[in-house]
Amino acid sequence: MHHLKHSLFFIILSIFVLIPISAEESSQEKKTQSIPVHEDENDGKKHYVSALTGMLLPEIAISLWCVNVVDADWAKVPMKTFLHPLDRHPEFDTDWVWTNFVLHPFQGSLYYMAARNSNLNRIESLGVTAMGDFIWEWFFETTEPSINDLFYSFIGGFAVGEMVSRLSLEAEYKASPLGYILNPPRAWTQLISGSKPKGTVGNIHDFTVKFNVGTMHSYTKSASSSVLPASETFPVYFSPDITVVYKDPYGHDSNDPYSQFEFRFGGGIGKSAGRWRGMSSIEKYIMYDVFIYSNGMIFSRAPDLGENKDTSIGMVLDYDFKWQSLIDMAAIAPGFAIKQRINYEHSKIEWQHHLCWNIIGITDYYYFHRPVNLNISFGNDYS
């Protein structure tokens, strides 16, 4: 693969249609008021049976689906694998980006939520998640256990699980079935334990639905003189997305992980340029873009930096994913963040800076989707 600079630029002309679900006044921030829920419907006891069975149930269901419906060879595990699991050794895999960076975090979140629904604390819930990861990789797949799958299911499962379990309570407060849709393990754990998960509602600081319509132009330049620059124009695209802000990001002081987070999910579809040789039949006609951007504060402090400033400083975990016609990108990145809002009489400025380490992820540097055009002259030798 020829090395490509991170110099892929998009010039986007968009018409934004913004639907504010919870409007805020410019002169005063809306403060969330947390309301406890299910206090009388939770016995406060730790239910390890519902947690462990709630972890195993999705593994068995996913395995049966892959064997009987998808007919996946990797899921048809012989008895020898069950009897000698430790003969297999972990290694990195190169599975499809959706499998590694979306499906595995989602699967890990099911283990984590089953434990949290059963009143286990975060450390215990991470232990149940790690156990589920081990069982899946060593007993439910014929391939060698995957190091990157273990990481993304564990850390990604924690990030997704914390956000979704909190949002499921908010959704239930508005419309009861939505709570179970967002938190599927709850149907099982509640049946076994007889307890509903505790938590609070009224924490949504902002909920926004946005629609983008426009055109896009891309330009890519390689670090190697042997690869010609390339440009591509997508005539039209349509891209809806949803943003949820859980508690005010500015002036947040807490040791409770993910007591403040931001989550954005969306997708786009449009007309492709259709000019590249080697493109799939779909890519010749359709431009696609699916993304998840999120960050959650692990802990946060709110220093007083001025009368008109609301500031949060602390440790953050970023989980991001982008699957697009041109590039793939994914990141699980712990680090530090500073978030600040500067308030004026009739306006405000909000800014954030995240300094994070992408431990295991992918960028367009490795996953540029288009074939390259070589600039080779007589007498030159390129390998």
Side-chain angles (χ1 to χ4, degrees), residues 49-288:
V49 172
S50 66
L52 294 174
T53 55
M55 173 266 291
L56 288 171
L57 191 62
E59 295 200 307
I60 295 171
I62 294 171
S63 179
L64 290 174
W65 172 271
C66 292
V67 170
N68 298 297
V69 179
V70 181
D71 195 30
D73 291 335
W74 59 263
K76 299 175 181 178
V77 181
M79 185 58 65
K80 180 181 177 180
T81 299
F82 282 93
L83 298 178
H84 303 282
L86 298 182
D87 291 344
R88 305 164 66 210
H89 305 287
E91 61 183 32
F92 284 95
D93 72 30
T94 56
D95 288 345
W96 188 37
V97 60
W98 267 89
T99 301
N100 279 351
F101 302 110
V102 175
L103 298 183
H104 275 289
F106 172 73
Q107 186 170 337
S109 74
L110 298 178
Y111 311 153
Y112 184 84
M113 287 191 291
R116 293 293 282 161
N117 293 343
S118 303
N119 289 336
L120 273 62
N121 61 36
R122 288 188 180 83
I123 300 299
E124 293 169 325
S125 299
L126 285 170
V128 171
T129 305
M131 184 184 301
D133 294 345
F134 177 85
I135 293 172
W136 179 264
E137 293 293 329
W138 267 267
F139 290 92
F140 283 90
E141 292 185 347
T142 60
T143 56
E144 294 297 313
S146 167
I147 295 174
N148 38 327
D149 288 354
L150 288 167
F151 178 85
Y152 263 82
S153 296
F154 181 68
I155 303 299
F158 161 71
V160 175
E162 274 292 330
M163 290 188 291
V164 173
S165 62
R166 292 174 183 269
L167 293 177
S168 70
L169 292 176
E170 300 283 353
E172 181 192 9
Y173 189 67
K174 298 295 183 181
S176 182
L178 289 177
Y180 293 90
I181 293 173
L182 289 177
N183 188 349
R186 181 179 160 183
W188 173 261
T189 57
Q190 192 169 312
L191 176 66
I192 300 301
S193 68
S195 281
K196 292 184 177 181
K198 290 193 300 184
T200 61
V201 298
N203 300 297
I204 302 300
H205 178 71
D206 185 57
F207 182 84
T208 304
V209 179
K210 183 169 62 177
F211 298 90
N212 306 322
V213 180
T215 185
M216 182 173 71
H217 178 78
S218 68
Y219 176 76
T220 307
K221 183 178 180 181
S222 172
S224 172
S225 60
S226 63
V227 180
L228 293 172
S231 63
E232 190 168 4
T233 299
F234 300 91
V236 64
Y237 77 93
F238 171 73
S239 177
D241 68 75
I242 296 173
T243 300
V244 181
V245 180
Y246 190 90
K247 289 193 176 179
D248 191 347
Y250 308 100
H252 184 72
D253 193 310
S254 177
N255 291 325
D256 183 14
Y258 273 83
S259 59
Q260 194 284 312
F261 64 84
E262 299 166 68
F263 178 84
R264 183 184 174 199
F265 169 74
I269 189 168
K271 180 174 174 52
S272 174
R275 296 188 298 104
W276 290 87
R277 291 175 299 172
M279 293 174 65
S280 67
S281 57
I282 294 179
E283 287 186 321
K284 288 182 179 179
Y285 303 102
I286 297 177
M287 170 262 186
Y288 57 87

Side-chain angles (χ1 to χ4, degrees), residues 252-328:
H252 184 72
D253 193 310
S254 177
N255 291 325
D256 183 14
Y258 273 83
S259 59
Q260 194 284 312
F261 64 84
E262 299 166 68
F263 178 84
R264 183 184 174 199
F265 169 74
I269 189 168
K271 180 174 174 52
S272 174
R275 296 188 298 104
W276 290 87
R277 291 175 299 172
M279 293 174 65
S280 67
S281 57
I282 294 179
E283 287 186 321
K284 288 182 179 179
Y285 303 102
I286 297 177
M287 170 262 186
Y288 57 87
D289 182 15
V290 179
F291 58 84
I292 300 170
Y293 301 127
S294 73
N295 71 84
M297 299 300 293
I298 305 302
F299 66 84
S300 178
R301 291 294 173 264
D304 185 0
L305 300 181
E307 182 178 355
N308 298 323
K309 296 181 177 68
D310 301 314
T311 307
S312 300
I313 300 176
M315 185 176 180
V316 71
L317 179 62
D318 286 9
Y319 166 54
D320 301 318
F321 171 80
K322 187 176 183 67
W323 180 61
Q324 199 216 44
S325 297
L326 290 171
I327 62 172
D328 294 337

